[in-house]
Coordinates of all heavy atoms in Angstrom, one line a residue:
E31 N -100.6 -102.6 55.5 CA -100.5 -101.1 55.4 C -101.3 -100.5 56.6 O -100.8 -99.4 57.1 CB -101.2 -100.6 54.1 CG -100.7 -99.3 53.7 CD -101.1 -99.0 52.2 OE1 -101.0 -99.9 51.4 OE2 -101.4 -97.9 52.0
K32 N -102.3 -101.1 57.1 CA -103.1 -100.6 58.2 C -102.2 -100.6 59.5 O -102.2 -99.6 60.2 CB -104.3 -101.4 58.5 CG -105.5 -101.1 57.6 CD -106.6 -102.0 58.0 CE -107.9 -101.5 57.3 NZ -109.0 -102.4 57.8
L33 N -101.5 -101.7 59.7 CA -100.7 -101.8 60.9 C -99.5 -100.8 60.8 O -99.2 -100.1 61.8 CB -100.1 -103.2 61.0 CG -99.2 -103.5 62.2 CD1 -100.0 -103.2 63.5 CD2 -98.7 -104.9 62.2
L34 N -99.0 -100.6 59.7 CA -97.9 -99.6 59.5 C -98.3 -98.2 59.7 O -97.6 -97.4 60.4 CB -97.2 -99.8 58.1 CG -95.9 -99.0 57.9 CD1 -94.9 -99.5 58.9 CD2 -95.4 -99.3 56.5
K35 N -99.5 -97.8 59.2 CA -100.0 -96.5 59.5 C -100.4 -96.3 60.9 O -100.1 -95.2 61.5 CB -101.3 -96.3 58.6 CG -101.0 -96.0 57.2 CD -102.3 -95.6 56.4 CE -102.0 -95.3 55.0 NZ -103.2 -94.9 54.3
A36 N -100.9 -97.3 61.6 CA -101.3 -97.2 63.0 C -100.0 -97.0 63.8 O -100.0 -96.2 64.7 CB -102.0 -98.4 63.5
T37 N -99.0 -97.8 63.5 CA -97.7 -97.6 64.2 C -97.1 -96.3 64.0 O -96.6 -95.6 64.9 CB -96.7 -98.7 63.7 OG1 -97.3 -100.0 63.9 CG2 -95.4 -98.6 64.4
K38 N -97.2 -95.7 62.8 CA -96.7 -94.4 62.5 C -97.4 -93.3 63.3 O -96.7 -92.5 63.9 CB -96.8 -94.2 61.0 CG -96.2 -92.8 60.6 CD -96.2 -92.7 59.1 CE -97.6 -92.7 58.5 NZ -97.6 -92.3 57.1
Y39 N -98.7 -93.4 63.3 CA -99.5 -92.4 64.0 C -99.3 -92.4 65.5 O -99.2 -91.4 66.2 CB -101.0 -92.4 63.7 CG -101.2 -92.0 62.2 CD1 -102.1 -92.8 61.4 CD2 -100.6 -90.9 61.7 CE1 -102.4 -92.4 60.1 CE2 -100.9 -90.5 60.4 CZ -101.7 -91.3 59.6 OH -102.0 -90.9 58.3
V40 N -99.3 -93.6 66.1 CA -99.1 -93.8 67.5 C -97.7 -93.4 67.9 O -97.5 -92.6 68.9 CB -99.4 -95.2 68.0 CG1 -98.9 -95.5 69.4 CG2 -100.9 -95.6 67.8
G41 N -96.7 -93.8 67.1 CA -95.3 -93.4 67.4 C -95.1 -91.9 67.3 O -94.4 -91.3 68.2
A42 N -95.7 -91.3 66.3 CA -95.6 -89.8 66.1 C -96.2 -89.0 67.3 O -95.7 -88.1 67.8 CB -96.1 -89.4 64.8
S43 N -97.4 -89.5 67.7 CA -98.1 -88.8 68.8 C -97.4 -88.9 70.1 O -97.2 -87.9 70.8 CB -99.5 -89.2 68.9 OG -99.6 -90.6 69.3
I44 N -96.9 -90.1 70.4 CA -96.1 -90.3 71.6 C -94.8 -89.5 71.5 O -94.3 -88.9 72.5 CB -95.9 -91.8 71.9 CG1 -97.2 -92.4 72.2 CG2 -94.9 -92.0 73.1 CD1 -97.1 -93.9 72.3
L45 N -94.2 -89.5 70.4 CA -92.9 -88.8 70.2 C -93.1 -87.3 70.4 O -92.3 -86.6 71.1 CB -92.3 -89.0 68.8 CG -91.0 -88.3 68.5 CD1 -89.9 -88.9 69.3 CD2 -90.7 -88.4 67.0
A75 N -91.4 -94.1 72.4 CA -92.0 -93.9 71.1 C -91.1 -94.5 70.0 O -91.6 -95.1 69.1 CB -92.2 -92.4 70.8
I78 N -91.6 -98.3 70.2 CA -92.9 -98.7 69.7 C -92.8 -98.7 68.1 O -93.3 -99.6 67.5 CB -94.0 -97.8 70.2 CG1 -94.3 -98.1 71.7 CG2 -95.3 -98.0 69.4 CD1 -95.2 -97.2 72.4
F79 N -92.3 -97.6 67.6 CA -92.2 -97.5 66.1 C -91.3 -98.6 65.5 O -91.7 -99.3 64.5 CB -91.7 -96.2 65.7 CG -91.5 -96.0 64.2 CD1 -92.7 -95.8 63.4 CD2 -90.3 -96.0 63.6 CE1 -92.6 -95.7 62.1 CE2 -90.2 -95.9 62.2 CZ -91.3 -95.7 61.5
G82 N -93.1 -102.0 65.7 CA -94.2 -102.1 64.6 C -93.6 -102.3 63.3 O -94.2 -103.1 62.5
V83 N -92.6 -101.6 62.9 CA -91.9 -101.8 61.6 C -91.4 -103.3 61.5 O -91.5 -103.9 60.5 CB -90.8 -100.8 61.4 CG1 -90.0 -101.1 60.1 CG2 -91.5 -99.4 61.2

Side-chain angles (χ1 to χ4, degrees):
E31 205 167 322
K32 283 182 167 180
L33 180 62
L34 191 59
K35 282 185 180 182
T37 303
K38 181 173 65 172
Y39 290 137
V40 168
S43 64
I44 295 174
L45 181 67
I78 288 171
F79 179 73
V83 169

